[in-house]
Amino acid sequence: MSGWLRRLPIFWQTLLLVLACLLVAQAMSIAMFVSVRPPRPQVYPMGDIAEALGAPRHGRDDDDTPRLATQLTRSAPTADTEGMVTDSSMVSRLAERLGVPVSCVRLFYEADQSATYPFRFKKVDSGVPIRHGEPMFFNTVLAGVQKDGVWRVVRTPDKPWISPWQQRTVLWFVLSALMVLPLAFLFARQLASPIRRFAAAADRVGHDPRAPAVPVGGPAEVRLAAQALTAMQLRLSETLAERTAMIAAIAHDLRTPLARIAFRIETAPDALRKPVQSDVEQMRAMIAATIGFVRGVHVGEKKGLDLLALVQRIASHCHEMGSKVSVAGSPAWVEGDSVALERLFQNIIDNALAYAGSAEITVIADEGRACVKVADRGPGLPEPMLDDAFRPFNRGDPSRSRQTGGIGLGLAIARSIAAEHGGTVTAANRDGGGLVVTTEFPAAPHLAPAS
């Protein structure tokens, strides 16, 4: 599809497709009308029936009416189909053609209902159209003549379920559809492609306002939507930058009064100095964590790495600190920043150690996904709070003290890092008690070293 056509509104693209399909179908119809012989009505003149019963032909060798099969029998034919009638005048005509007495002739037929199709007929009481003095039978006919004590019987063949002209009509429709199908396919692909690109770009913007702008292309409606989404992305980025700068400035400025408080409390009695110093250190830790969070999660160069080896390295560090962390599973290769991913899993493991005292890690690679599950046997969380655990400054149960956790940024940072790698982090209560945090990434098995 040419460039100018791609940029047309969807309304005009659809209209042009309909017109193109209509022109192709009409062209096929005209071609079929010109090249294919029109259907011949399946009509049996009385002369053909008489000839099948033994009457001489009358120079109609070019007639392509199917020949009628005959059979010999000793009993006279009788009407074998409901609705078949006989008429003395028609029997007399047939006997005259055969040159035998009327008593030696039998004729049964289904009366025709189309008195004027396809020729101009003269209608008679017998219910058989007559053209130029010749009776024309369009329906089933059963006739017989007796000679030498034997009946020669002829019956018109049953009409096929699909007649030849119906077969040609079906072929007509099939060819027309085959001619139109490529146009419809090209139109659908050209129309859906920019919409898919727009949806993918919009999804990226939803995860990260700093993602590349939505490409402007395709139909006019898609271009307008892309421009509106780009403008919205710019406003979101500006708002996020302003809020980040404001929070970072507030957190930074709080360091000065905290330093003065710490200096002035040095001369206070121990009973007052130690609790205040503890509070000051807690506030400093909160400020540092807040500044680190609002400045965003930095993801460096992404390389192929094995998540199993990564979490095993983290577990060994935990063992050195006396923590109980077990690792099981199989290699699972992804493309990511090892420093950022190590921070992600360290935060999740620290959360499990803080609330349960131990962590069980399982690494799974299956169906194009790399999955890491960190399970514990802690108190878990109420179902409505499972997703809230990943919100900044949310610590789950407010009754938990500072000794059992941080300020509620660990899981929020973990989810941000996962999103930067195209992954997800979810939490669920574990059967038998405890929490399981599942992290999934797109797998990159092609990065695994050859065995």
Side-chain angles (χ1 to χ4, degrees):
M1 191 179 291
S2 60
W4 68 269
L5 189 55
R6 289 195 192 98
R7 293 190 295 271
L8 286 176
I10 296 176
F11 170 81
W12 288 108
Q13 290 192 32
T14 306
L15 182 61
L16 289 176
L17 172 70
V18 172
L19 292 177
C21 294
L22 182 61
L23 290 176
V24 171
Q26 290 298 322
M28 287 295 301
S29 300
I30 294 173
M32 292 287 291
F33 181 77
V34 172
S35 59
V36 177
R37 188 177 64 176
R40 181 183 184 277
Q42 198 76 330
V43 57
Y44 293 91
M46 181 173 283
D48 289 358
I49 297 173
E51 290 170 5
L53 292 174
R57 298 181 63 83
H58 295 282
R60 295 185 303 139
D61 294 334
D62 59 339
D63 186 11
D64 60 354
T65 301
R67 296 298 94 201
L68 302 174
T70 61
Q71 63 176 351
L72 301 178
T73 179
R74 293 190 177 277
S75 59
T78 57
D80 58 359
T81 303
E82 183 179 356
M84 297 188 76
V85 298
T86 186
D87 183 81
S88 58
S89 62
M90 293 293 109
V91 175
S92 299
R93 284 173 177 261
L94 182 58
E96 183 180 352
R97 292 282 188 93
L98 296 172
V100 297
V102 174
S103 59
C104 295
V105 176
R106 300 289 186 273
L107 177 62
F108 304 95
Y109 57 88
E110 294 178 357
D112 186 71
Q113 300 299 318
S114 302
T116 59
Y117 177 83
F119 308 107
R120 292 181 180 177
F121 294 114
K122 177 176 141 184
K123 188 74 174 176
V124 295
D125 295 337
S126 61
V128 178
I130 297 177
R131 178 174 178 262
H132 302 308
E134 180 78 349
M136 299 289 180
F137 296 92
F138 285 85
N139 297 317
T140 305
V141 178
L142 176 64
V145 60
Q146 185 183 40
K147 291 183 178 179
D148 301 328
V150 177
W151 283 91
R152 185 182 182 89
V153 180
V154 63
R155 192 180 191 279
T156 55
D158 296 331
K159 293 182 179 180
W161 183 63
I162 299 180
S163 61
W165 72 269
Q166 291 174 323
Q167 296 174 8
R168 290 195 293 269
T169 303
V170 171
L171 177 63
W172 176 354
F173 287 131
V174 170
L175 292 178
S176 299
L178 291 177
M179 292 293 293
V180 170
L181 189 60
L183 291 176
F185 173 78
L186 292 175
F187 170 79
R189 187 178 67 176
Q190 293 297 333
L191 185 61
S193 179
I195 295 177
R196 285 197 300 266
R197 291 195 301 268
F198 174 81
D203 185 66
R204 290 195 301 270
V205 172
H207 287 87
D208 182 11
R210 297 166 296 179
V214 178
V216 179
E221 293 86 351
V222 177
R223 295 201 306 272
L224 288 175
Q227 293 170 358
L229 187 61
T230 300
M232 182 187 71
Q233 179 185 4
L234 181 60
R235 291 193 296 270
L236 287 175
S237 298
E238 292 175 352
T239 302
L240 182 61
E242 292 175 358
R243 292 179 59 187
T244 301
M246 179 184 66
I247 297 174
I250 293 173
H252 182 271
D253 292 344
L254 285 176
R255 291 178 175 180
T256 300
L258 284 177
R260 289 199 298 266
I261 293 173
F263 176 76
R264 291 170 180 171
I265 202 66
E266 287 293 333
T267 58
D270 290 346
L272 176 62
R273 185 181 70 252
K274 290 183 179 180
V276 173
Q277 284 180 338
S278 177
D279 290 340
V280 169
E281 292 301 323
Q282 177 181 338
M283 294 178 67
R284 284 176 174 171
M286 293 174 64
I287 291 172
T290 302
I291 292 176
F293 178 75
V294 299
R295 286 179 177 173
V297 178
H298 175 70
V299 176
E301 182 182 359
K302 296 180 180 180
K303 298 180 180 179
L305 55 92
D306 179 14
L307 293 181
L308 179 62
L310 180 67
V311 297
Q312 285 175 338
R313 185 166 62 250
I314 298 174
S316 65
H317 296 161
C318 294
H319 292 160
E320 294 174 358
M321 301 297 295
S323 301
K324 298 179 181 179
V325 179
S326 63
V327 180
S330 58
W333 286 82
V334 299
E335 190 174 4
D337 175 21
S338 61
V339 175
L341 290 179
E342 185 171 347
R343 182 183 181 190
L344 181 157
F345 292 115
Q346 187 69 65
N347 287 352
I348 297 176
I349 294 171
D350 288 346
N351 187 75
L353 294 175
Y355 295 120
S358 63
E360 304 168 16
I361 306 174
T362 306
V363 183
I364 304 171
D366 185 30
E367 297 182 357
R369 303 290 292 176
C371 176
V372 178
K373 296 185 177 183
V374 180
D376 62 57
R377 286 299 182 185
L381 286 171
E383 291 293 334
M385 299 181 63
L386 289 175
D387 194 61
D388 292 340
F390 296 94
R391 299 183 185 276
F393 307 105
N394 190 304
R395 299 183 59 245
D397 186 356
S399 65
R400 291 173 179 170
S401 66
R402 282 278 304 145
Q403 282 69 32
T404 61
I407 65 172
L409 289 176
L411 294 181
I413 292 174
R415 175 168 280 185
S416 298
I417 296 175
E420 291 286 343
H421 289 78
T424 60
V425 182
T426 57
N429 285 313
R430 190 180 182 188
D431 293 339
L435 197 69
V436 56
V437 179
T438 303
T439 308
E440 289 190 358
F441 300 98
H446 61 282
L447 298 176
S451 57

